[in-house]
Amino acid sequence: MDKITSLFKESELKKGEFFTKSGQYCEKLSFVRSGFIRVFANTNDKEITQWISTKGYFITDLYSFTFKQRAKWNIQALTDCELYTIDKENYALLNNLVPNWAEMEKQFIAGCFVQLEDRVFSHLSLSAEERYDKLFKNNKELFNQVPLQYLASMLGMSPETFSRIRNKKIS
């Protein structure tokens, strides 16, 4: 672990600053120590929130970072954030420094895929209210820290639907 952590550098992302923007190349991967970071895209004159990263999660545009393509996502701090960041060059060193790195990386990517599968399944099989309940149960802190329209977008519902469900739960 010491070998791995020595390649990560402490960094900050201030509220409103971008980690990366759509169309740029994302050359870094960060672990979120504190704060909230939104992953979103602009489409048809509106913003679609794909994910809100919180403490304990990694953040990057995986497509850009892995395949050296332009980023698909805008990644922006919703609050001041403390990060541990590794650049692409140091990330490449991990394969030589850590004997079982390929297996660890495979497990990490598999975990990301399982999380993505779970989100897709939820969108396809759960009602809007069930998706709201699931997010609230697993991420209560988001509801007091993140603008509600971003949560609505992440859950695939209109802000009005989100508010109606929220008001029903409060009363």
Side-chain angles (χ1 to χ4, degrees):
M1 269 319 252
D2 288 340
K3 289 178 185 177
I4 295 171
T5 56
S6 70
L7 298 175
F8 283 80
K9 306 297 178 219
E10 288 186 34
S11 62
E12 291 183 354
L13 196 62
K14 296 292 183 193
K15 181 179 180 177
E17 289 182 346
F18 282 86
F19 181 85
T20 195
K21 288 185 179 180
S22 169
Q24 296 178 339
Y25 291 94
C26 186
E27 300 284 329
K28 59 191 174 183
L29 167 80
S30 291
F31 178 81
V32 180
R33 183 173 175 212
S34 68
F36 297 95
I37 301 175
R38 182 169 75 119
V39 180
F40 68 99
N42 295 306
T43 179
N44 298 330
D45 297 328
K46 67 178 185 174
E47 292 181 349
I48 305 295
T49 299
Q50 187 255 10
W51 181 250
I52 298 184
S53 192
T54 60
K55 174 183 173 181
Y57 283 91
F58 284 91
I59 193 78
T60 193
D61 184 298
L62 193 57
Y63 178 71
S64 180
F65 186 75
T66 305
F67 299 111
K68 300 178 185 172
Q69 299 295 315
R70 293 185 186 276
K72 294 181 176 185
W73 301 100
N74 296 294
I75 303 175
Q76 185 180 30
L78 293 176
T79 62
D80 289 347
C81 300
E82 295 176 348
L83 309 172
Y84 294 110
T85 300
I86 189 169
D87 62 30
K88 188 92 170 154
E89 190 176 306
N90 281 329
Y91 186 84
L93 296 175
L94 291 172
N95 212 23
N96 298 327
L97 291 173
V98 181
N100 60 342
W101 179 251
E103 182 61 28
M104 289 172 64
E105 184 179 46
K106 182 175 127 183
Q107 291 298 316
F108 171 71
I109 298 295
C112 293
F113 186 75
V114 167
Q115 188 174 32
L116 177 62
E117 275 186 326
D118 185 51
R119 289 195 61 217
V120 169
F121 183 76
S122 291
H123 273 30
L124 296 174
S125 65
L126 300 178
S127 68
E129 187 168 339
E130 290 169 325
R131 290 193 310 272
Y132 176 99
D133 289 342
K134 186 175 181 179
L135 182 65
F136 186 79
K137 178 183 172 191
N138 296 324
N139 300 89
K140 286 183 178 111
E141 75 278 3
L142 292 179
F143 286 73
N144 293 324
Q145 302 286 326
V146 173
L148 299 180
Q149 74 264 21
Y150 299 157
L151 298 179
S153 177
M154 189 171 89
L155 291 171
M157 62 182 77
S158 70
E160 295 79 16
T161 298
F162 186 92
S163 291
R164 188 170 53 252
I165 292 169
R166 185 168 186 250
N167 289 338
K168 181 179 169 184
K169 300 292 179 183
I170 292 171
S171 51

